[in-house]
Amino acid sequence: MKPITEIAKNIGLAEEDLELYGKYKAKISNEALARLQTKQSGKIILVTSINPTPAGEGKSTVTVGLGDAFNRLGKKAMIAMREPSLGPTMGIKGGATGGGYAQVLPMEDINLHFTGDMHAISTANNALAALIDNHLQQGNELKIDQRRIVWKRVMDLNDRALRKVIVGLGGPLQGVPREDGFDITVASEIMAVLCLAKDLKDLKHRLSKIVVAYNVHKEPVTVGDLGVEGALTLLLKDAVKPNLVQTIEHTPALIHGGPFANIAHGCNSVIATMTASKLADYVITEAGFGADLGAEKFLHIKSRSAGIYPAAVVVVATIRALKMHGGVPKHKLADENSAASLTIGIANLKKHINTIKSFGLPVVVAINRFMTDTDQEIQTLLEWCKEENVPAAITEVWEKGGEGGLELAKRLLSTIESAENNFKPLYDLSDSIEEKVRTIVQKVYGGKDVEFSAKAKKQLIEFEKFGWSNLPICMAKTQYSLSDDPSKLGRPYDFTITVREFKPSIGAGFIVALTGEVMTMPGLPKEPAALKMDVDEKGNALGLF
Amino acid sequence: MKPITEIAKNIGLAEEDLELYGKYKAKISNEALARLQTKQSGKIILVTSINPTPAGEGKSTVTVGLGDAFNRLGKKAMIAMREPSLGPTMGIKGGATGGGYAQVLPMEDINLHFTGDMHAISTANNALAALIDNHLQQGNELKIDQRRIVWKRVMDLNDRALRKVIVGLGGPLQGVPREDGFDITVASEIMAVLCLAKDLKDLKHRLSKIVVAYNVHKEPVTVGDLGVEGALTLLLKDAVKPNLVQTIEHTPALIHGGPFANIAHGCNSVIATMTASKLADYVITEAGFGADLGAEKFLHIKSRSAGIYPAAVVVVATIRALKMHGGVPKHKLADENSAASLTIGIANLKKHINTIKSFGLPVVVAINRFMTDTDQEIQTLLEWCKEENVPAAITEVWEKGGEGGLELAKRLLSTIESAENNFKPLYDLSDSIEEKVRTIVQKVYGGKDVEFSAKAKKQLIEFEKFGWSNLPICMAKTQYSLSDDPSKLGRPYDFTITVREFKPSIGAGFIVALTGEVMTMPGLPKEPAALKMDVDEKGNALGLF
């Protein structure tokens, strides 16, 4: 690693523009952020993927390696990614910093406390919860219905025992007893708010609009009604500044914000993406899950809200994952006789390519090569792309770092140069909520129709009354299938999506449509990763990967 | 403020010895901490006080001002203090960074997230709780009795609704239902462990000994039994490094660790105090509450465990507080006719002076002057000190900074030079737990005797069996009185202290003796300080004081 001051210098940031967190991490100061706003913006490249499978696609790895590749080509490029949650780190190791030679460093810090953003968000979330319960205890002036408090507490941990709890027990001096529950921090609306806010002022405005409960007249009660948006903003004043780190190849990376990709929009912060685009000519950024969720939300929620539009979209696919979409179980992926499955599975990729095209955006396919892929399989996929007239490139960034992404980078540069970019959202905000959901189901998922539960229908009437109908939709759907049934891989047809409930995230500025069960507080496995973690006497982390 | 690198340079620390957190905060690296261990130690000056009153004594302010005064005298001095909890900051503003011109900076940062130590401790505490509940859920191999889990979750907030909760509700997939509760983070045994650990290795060893539950055979189950001491140490690897900041007068200060002063020992970390003593010739440090709790625990727990002995002890008193101890209510403190009350109240000071003397330590009285004090009142107190043959000095550090502490600093230097120092603990570790408690009650509190509840007596038999009898005692008693009755101000006599229960803190290495009710999770007031907090568009904190 190079000192982060040196990395910063290469993108025109002086030491006084940074707030250092050790030698290899820094936040960018408010002064620098304000100064940069007048600069011209570079081009955004959005990295998304086919529907994820247990075989692994390597979207983050491709994002990192692509940034490195652009720099190897002499282009001024930056990476803008989400920051990971500590919960999964202690549970089943995932690793959200890329992999192999395409990684963001310092890996240990980023996967542990990093610069404290998650902790600040947890604190703001839970301070709000304490203030709500204190309001009940101190006379309940706002007439909050204690059965209709929707604001939950959070922990940045996997802790299933906290999913459903009763708080306020122990008698009249210990609070008002009521049902409550904890989510993991990345599921907090405050995370989504922080990631969509353009600056401190916008952050405070959005925080004030968060609905925390309903009163005895069933009207929404907001953070603004409680009068604590100032305190919450104060708790977030540093968390809102983007974090500068570097890749193994010294490409500058902003790792900032990490909202859930189901009940939230699953992209890193607007402030980080905007800042990166002011500092570099090319910004490589990613969105959670597959293109049906991550890219759709990036384009309908983040792009629309912040005016950030991609110059091109990369759809990452692997031979292994496509074979799984074609029906091959994971333990048989190494078998040769799966040419037919690959062809069937490609239908999943095809749908996502067409979705991106329907937004009017240029698309490039990244074939993230695994060592087990045969030349014939790769050839099959490359030929298919050629027939479909979609630019494609093989990436080998895990093994080779930026060098393994050069082909993709070149393909992107020529595509951005030559292809047309006529971005247009698939729905208008003025469409009704039902219409907006239907558009997503039919145009993005390729489904037949959408059904709304009786509860959902009742909510729509209320939302209309509260003036929430013109917000974009945030779909909470399984990431494994285009449909709402995780077992339907490949390219399912003729399916109907059922919306069982809506969840208003008015601070973030979207309406969540819940399909199926959504897990917002993971549990730990029988043998948690924590059992293997340690630190040596010099302070070096052990067992993190 | 000067850049923290400059402050560090003055005490012989190079930039590579620091891990910067912005421009004005830094942690000291493991390499520097290891290198310093071989250096000779400077002298420790412990600042304590009479029993605290609502009138205010200003112990932290005197600690800061005294450090500044030593530096004005050309002595190489450092300050070692506790770091504050966020909970009270959001509730009723206290401010744990001193006051007036005797303050540690940057005040906003120290009172908010600082360098993330509190968050790391909360995370380690709650990760342990999640791992315990997961152990229950995944088959309970250790046969933990779910009714006898003593490890509680924490939040660094004032949140009364979390004092008593039920977790694990919602059916067999959501965990095992059981009673639980949340403490404020500073009450976590992990905070006490971190503050008594000498290094990372000692930290891990202490963590492994923490008792989290009892099994169905009523035997203790420890962190070591769960096999997660490595993971917890990893989560604390940065939190264990002391934080360097500065006073308004640029005196270097280590602000690190802040355990409760009732159920824990109430002193900043051993690592910080030790490190300061290697970097400076004089270290000014404080202990929580009055001398009956803070100083007693410093000397019996921290000194004994770490081999850190004070060269002298300062007892801070104010005319106002002494008058309250003499029976004057707070709203009548400005009245003139309270000479008699002052004389009565001085008995409280006298007891604390004699306690320090009984430890064989030199003592100096700091009379922390308020603007409302009359010359005659000050004269009365000074003459009393002269008669008692106790060195005393007036301090005016709130108004005048270090200059207001020069007299005290000079008095301390001459006392350290001339007075005898024959430190000896008042009890031996080999004494029985009952004897140890009795010694504290009789010699430190000046009480008649101690009574043990039936439960406490039963616990003592168990503790003997578990091999815990040779640990020091940590008394949890009201800070307002020498007795266990907060209304008995001044110098009560003939009182009996009742120990209702013991709490083993085996990782920290002490047995807590609980007298009366101990609040380990504060609540918010009707008008929380949070309502006045805000941040301007440039990111400046508003309403923090």
Side-chain angles (χ1 to χ4, degrees):
Chain A
M1 278 185 280
K2 290 184 185 173
I4 198 67
T5 46
E6 203 177 308
I7 302 290
K9 213 168 160 189
N10 293 339
I11 45 171
L13 289 176
E15 193 162 342
E16 56 265 31
D17 294 327
L18 302 181
E19 294 168 6
L20 295 174
Y21 284 68
K23 293 176 183 65
Y24 306 108
K25 297 167 286 175
K27 281 189 172 281
I28 299 177
S29 74
N30 284 326
E31 292 73 23
L33 293 175
R35 194 184 67 222
L36 288 170
Q37 286 190 354
T38 55
K39 284 191 70 179
Q40 222 191 320
S41 295
K43 292 185 160 56
I44 309 279
I45 293 160
L46 173 64
V47 179
T48 184
S49 77
I50 58 172
N51 287 94
T53 68
E57 290 70 41
K59 191 175 55 193
S60 299
T61 310
V62 169
T63 304
V64 174
L66 187 55
D68 289 339
F70 268 89
N71 273 334
R72 280 178 181 246
L73 291 176
K75 302 293 177 186
K76 211 172 164 187
M78 273 186 87
I79 294 157
M81 282 170 79
R82 290 172 292 168
E83 51 186 311
S85 164
L86 196 54
T89 304
M90 308 295 290
I92 310 170
K93 201 51 232 106
T97 51
Y101 284 95
Q103 272 199 58
V104 187
L105 304 174
M107 179 272 282
E108 293 88 348
D109 293 22
I110 297 173
N111 278 308
L112 292 172
H113 307 292
F114 199 22
T115 58
D117 295 343
M118 291 286 168
H119 295 317
I121 292 167
S122 301
T123 303
N125 184 104
N126 294 335
L128 175 53
L131 288 158
I132 295 166
D133 273 304
N134 190 55
H135 187 87
L136 289 187
Q137 176 74 3
Q138 306 282 1
N140 196 11
E141 208 177 313
L142 293 169
K143 293 194 161 52
I144 291 171
D145 183 342
Q146 71 201 56
R147 304 163 306 172
R148 288 192 168 84
I149 295 173
V150 292
W151 191 252
K152 289 166 81 178
R153 289 174 167 87
V154 297
M155 287 246 181
D156 190 26
L157 288 168
N158 287 14
D159 193 346
R160 84 168 60 67
L162 293 180
R163 285 175 190 156
K164 291 190 182 176
V165 303
I166 296 174
V167 301
L169 297 171
L173 295 181
Q174 326 289 341
V176 179
R178 65 180 186 86
E179 284 185 54
D180 194 11
F182 284 70
D183 288 335
I184 192 163
T185 300
V186 289
S188 169
E189 187 177 344
I190 290 183
M191 173 61 92
V193 163
L194 183 123
C195 287
L196 286 167
K198 286 178 207 74
D199 51 33
L200 267 175
K201 189 179 164 188
D202 187 30
L203 175 66
K204 184 155 74 180
H205 179 64
R206 286 171 184 267
L207 288 169
S208 76
K209 291 195 297 178
I210 290 175
V211 174
V212 298
Y214 295 84
N215 65 18
V216 294
H217 307 298
K218 297 189 185 170
E219 296 154 347
V221 177
T222 66
V223 168
D225 295 331
L226 287 163
V228 296
E229 66 273 24
L232 301 189
T233 311
L234 178 60
L235 287 169
L236 296 169
K237 77 179 174 66
D238 294 314
V240 79
K241 300 170 193 162
N243 307 298
L244 181 64
V245 289
Q246 64 189 289
T247 68
I248 290 179
E249 300 188 4
H250 313 302
T251 301
L254 291 179
I255 306 280
H256 190 228
F260 252 32
N262 48 33
I263 60 154
H265 61 293
C267 314
N268 72 284
S269 79
V270 162
I271 291 181
T273 310
M274 288 290 272
T275 303
S277 80
K278 302 296 184 181
L279 292 166
D281 297 327
Y282 295 92
V283 177
I284 326 296
T285 190
E286 57 161 357
F289 298 152
D292 53 334
L293 289 165
E296 184 271 318
K297 292 177 187 185
F298 187 100
L299 299 170
H300 277 143
I301 299 174
K302 181 171 173 175
S303 290
R304 187 141 43 182
S305 156
I308 295 173
Y309 305 106
V313 178
V314 175
V315 180
V316 179
T318 60
I319 297 292
R320 288 159 55 84
L322 290 173
K323 289 198 301 193
M324 286 197 79
H325 275 294
V328 182
K330 195 178 174 193
H331 65 279
K332 289 201 175 166
L333 282 174
D335 293 3
E336 281 273 2
N337 56 354
S338 47
S341 306
L342 178 60
T343 311
I344 297 170
I346 284 175
N348 185 271
L349 173 61
K350 182 174 180 174
K351 176 70 195 96
H352 294 302
I353 291 170
N354 287 338
T355 300
I356 303 301
K357 283 183 176 171
S358 71
F359 276 99
L361 291 172
V363 59
V364 176
V365 173
I367 305 170
N368 193 22
R369 183 164 199 160
F370 273 59
M371 288 203 298
T372 50
D373 299 345
T374 66
D375 287 345
Q376 205 195 321
E377 288 169 335
I378 295 282
Q379 211 48 44
T380 305
L381 184 51
L382 279 174
E383 273 167 27
W384 179 85
C385 290
K386 210 171 170 185
E387 278 166 32
E388 292 282 320
N389 206 18
V390 186
I394 292 162
T395 56
E396 293 176 293
V397 294
W398 198 95
E399 272 176 285
K400 299 181 183 171
E403 211 199 306
L406 287 176
E407 198 191 330
L408 178 62
K410 285 180 197 160
R411 201 58 50 97
L412 272 161
L413 285 170
S414 65
T415 302
I416 291 171
E417 190 87 2
S418 61
E420 278 187 49
N421 186 320
N422 304 306
F423 176 74
K424 193 181 179 309
L426 301 183
Y427 63 77
D428 290 329
L429 293 181
S430 58
D431 296 347
S432 73
I433 290 177
E434 294 100 311
E435 281 175 287
K436 284 183 270 202
V437 175
R438 186 166 289 112
T439 300
I440 294 170
V441 168
Q442 292 177 339
K443 294 198 181 164
V444 179
Y445 305 163
K448 195 174 67 181
D449 203 359
V450 57
E451 270 177 19
F452 298 92
S453 73
K455 177 168 187 180
K457 282 182 191 158
K458 205 177 140 204
Q459 283 181 298
L460 288 177
I461 298 166
E462 285 167 355
F463 289 9
E464 183 70 42
K465 197 172 70 187
F466 300 145
W468 298 341
S469 296
N470 60 348
L471 292 172
I473 303 301
C474 180
M475 295 295 290
K477 178 185 72 70
T478 177
Q479 66 266 39
Y480 299 114
S481 170
L482 283 159
S483 76
D484 61 0
D485 175 352
S487 68
K488 287 187 181 153
L489 303 189
R491 167 58 167 110
Y493 284 92
D494 285 329
F495 59 88
T496 299
I497 296 272
T498 306
V499 173
R500 65 171 170 83
E501 189 177 348
F502 290 102
K503 181 183 172 297
S505 290
I506 309 303
F510 50 70
I511 300 291
V512 183
L514 297 157
T515 72
E517 282 304 313
V518 180
M519 169 64 67
T520 51
M521 172 53 98
L524 288 168
K526 179 146 184 143
E527 298 280 334
L531 294 175
K532 297 220 169 66
M533 290 179 185
D534 207 345
V535 55
D536 70 17
E537 287 178 29
K538 286 185 175 167
N540 300 305
L542 303 173
L544 259 185
F545 274 85
Chain B
M1 278 186 280
K2 289 184 185 173
I4 200 66
T5 46
E6 202 176 310
I7 302 289
K9 212 168 162 188
N10 292 339
I11 45 171
L13 290 176
E15 193 162 341
E16 56 265 31
D17 295 327
L18 303 181
E19 294 168 6
L20 296 174
Y21 285 69
K23 295 177 183 63
Y24 306 109
K25 299 168 286 177
K27 282 191 172 280
I28 299 178
S29 75
N30 283 326
E31 292 73 23
L33 294 174
R35 194 183 68 223
L36 288 170
Q37 285 191 353
T38 56
K39 285 190 71 179
Q40 223 190 319
S41 296
K43 291 185 161 57
I44 309 280
I45 293 160
L46 173 64
V47 179
T48 184
S49 78
I50 59 172
N51 287 94
T53 68
E57 290 70 41
K59 191 175 55 191
S60 300
T61 309
V62 169
T63 303
V64 174
L66 187 53
D68 290 338
F70 268 89
N71 273 336
R72 280 177 181 246
L73 291 174
K75 303 293 178 187
K76 210 171 163 186
M78 273 186 86
I79 293 157
M81 282 171 79
R82 289 172 292 168
E83 50 187 312
S85 165
L86 195 55
T89 304
M90 307 296 290
I92 311 169
K93 200 50 233 109
T97 50
Y101 284 95
Q103 271 200 57
V104 187
L105 303 175
M107 179 273 280
E108 293 89 346
D109 292 22
I110 297 173
N111 278 309
L112 291 173
H113 307 291
F114 199 22
T115 58
D117 295 343
M118 290 288 169
H119 295 316
I121 292 167
S122 302
T123 303
N125 184 105
N126 294 335
L128 176 53
L131 287 159
I132 295 166
D133 274 304
N134 190 55
H135 187 87
L136 289 187
Q137 176 75 2
Q138 306 281 1
N140 196 11
E141 207 177 316
L142 293 169
K143 293 194 161 51
I144 291 171
D145 183 343
Q146 72 202 56
R147 304 162 307 173
R148 289 192 168 85
I149 295 173
V150 292
W151 191 253
K152 290 165 80 178
R153 289 174 166 86
V154 298
M155 287 246 182
D156 192 26
L157 287 168
N158 287 13
D159 192 348
R160 85 167 59 69
L162 292 181
R163 284 175 190 156
K164 291 189 183 178
V165 303
I166 295 175
V167 301
L169 297 171
L173 296 181
Q174 326 289 343
V176 179
R178 64 181 187 86
E179 284 185 53
D180 194 12
F182 284 70
D183 288 336
I184 191 164
T185 300
V186 289
S188 169
E189 188 177 341
I190 290 183
M191 173 61 93
V193 162
L194 183 123
C195 287
L196 286 167
K198 288 177 205 78
D199 51 32
L200 267 176
K201 190 180 163 186
D202 187 30
L203 175 66
K204 184 154 74 179
H205 179 63
R206 286 171 184 268
L207 288 169
S208 75
K209 292 195 297 179
I210 290 175
V211 175
V212 298
Y214 295 85
N215 65 18
V216 293
H217 308 297
K218 297 188 185 171
E219 296 153 347
V221 177
T222 66
V223 168
D225 295 331
L226 286 163
V228 296
E229 66 273 25
L232 301 188
T233 311
L234 178 61
L235 288 169
L236 297 168
K237 77 180 175 66
D238 294 313
V240 79
K241 299 170 194 164
N243 307 298
L244 181 64
V245 290
Q246 64 189 290
T247 68
I248 291 179
E249 300 189 4
H250 312 303
T251 300
L254 291 179
I255 307 281
H256 190 227
F260 252 32
N262 49 32
I263 60 154
H265 62 292
C267 314
N268 72 284
S269 79
V270 162
I271 291 181
T273 311
M274 288 290 273
T275 303
S277 80
K278 302 296 185 181
L279 293 167
D281 297 327
Y282 296 91
V283 177
I284 327 295
T285 190
E286 59 161 355
F289 298 153
D292 53 335
L293 288 166
E296 185 271 318
K297 292 179 187 185
F298 186 101
L299 299 171
H300 278 142
I301 298 174
K302 181 172 175 176
S303 290
R304 187 140 42 182
S305 156
I308 295 172
Y309 305 105
V313 178
V314 175
V315 180
V316 178
T318 60
I319 297 292
R320 288 159 54 85
L322 289 173
K323 290 198 300 195
M324 285 198 81
H325 274 294
V328 182
K330 195 178 172 193
H331 65 279
K332 289 200 173 167
L333 281 174
D335 291 4
E336 280 272 3
N337 57 355
S338 47
S341 304
L342 179 59
T343 310
I344 297 168
I346 283 175
N348 184 271
L349 173 61
K350 183 173 180 173
K351 177 68 195 97
H352 293 301
I353 291 169
N354 288 337
T355 299
I356 303 301
K357 282 182 176 172
S358 71
F359 276 98
L361 290 172
V363 58
V364 176
V365 172
I367 306 169
N368 193 23
R369 184 163 198 162
F370 273 60
M371 288 205 298
T372 50
D373 300 344
T374 66
D375 288 346
Q376 206 196 320
E377 288 169 333
I378 294 284
Q379 210 49 45
T380 304
L381 183 52
L382 279 173
E383 273 167 25
W384 178 86
C385 289
K386 209 172 172 183
E387 276 167 32
E388 292 281 321
N389 205 20
V390 186
I394 292 162
T395 56
E396 294 175 293
V397 294
W398 198 95
E399 273 176 286
K400 299 181 183 171
E403 210 199 307
L406 287 175
E407 198 189 331
L408 177 62
K410 286 180 196 160
R411 201 56 52 96
L412 271 162
L413 284 170
S414 65
T415 302
I416 291 171
E417 189 88 1
S418 62
E420 280 188 46
N421 186 320
N422 304 307
F423 176 73
K424 195 180 177 309
L426 300 182
Y427 63 77
D428 291 329
L429 293 180
S430 59
D431 295 348
S432 73
I433 290 177
E434 295 100 313
E435 281 176 285
K436 285 183 271 202
V437 175
R438 187 167 288 111
T439 300
I440 294 169
V441 168
Q442 293 176 340
K443 296 197 180 164
V444 178
Y445 305 164
K448 195 172 67 180
D449 204 358
V450 58
E451 269 178 19
F452 298 92
S453 73
K455 177 170 187 178
K457 282 180 191 160
K458 204 178 141 203
Q459 284 182 297
L460 288 177
I461 298 167
E462 284 166 357
F463 288 11
E464 183 70 41
K465 198 172 69 185
F466 300 145
W468 297 342
S469 296
N470 60 348
L471 292 172
I473 304 299
C474 180
M475 295 294 291
K477 179 185 71 72
T478 177
Q479 66 266 39
Y480 300 114
S481 169
L482 283 159
S483 76
D484 59 1
D485 175 352
S487 69
K488 287 187 180 153
L489 302 189
R491 167 56 168 111
Y493 284 92
D494 286 330
F495 59 88
T496 298
I497 297 272
T498 304
V499 174
R500 66 171 169 83
E501 190 177 347
F502 290 103
K503 179 183 173 300
S505 290
I506 309 303
F510 50 69
I511 301 290
V512 183
L514 296 157
T515 72
E517 283 303 314
V518 180
M519 170 63 67
T520 51
M521 174 50 99
L524 289 168
K526 182 149 182 139
E527 298 280 334
L531 294 175
K532 298 220 168 64
M533 291 180 185
D534 207 344
V535 55
D536 69 17
E537 286 178 30
K538 285 184 176 170
N540 300 306
L542 304 172
L544 258 185
F545 274 85

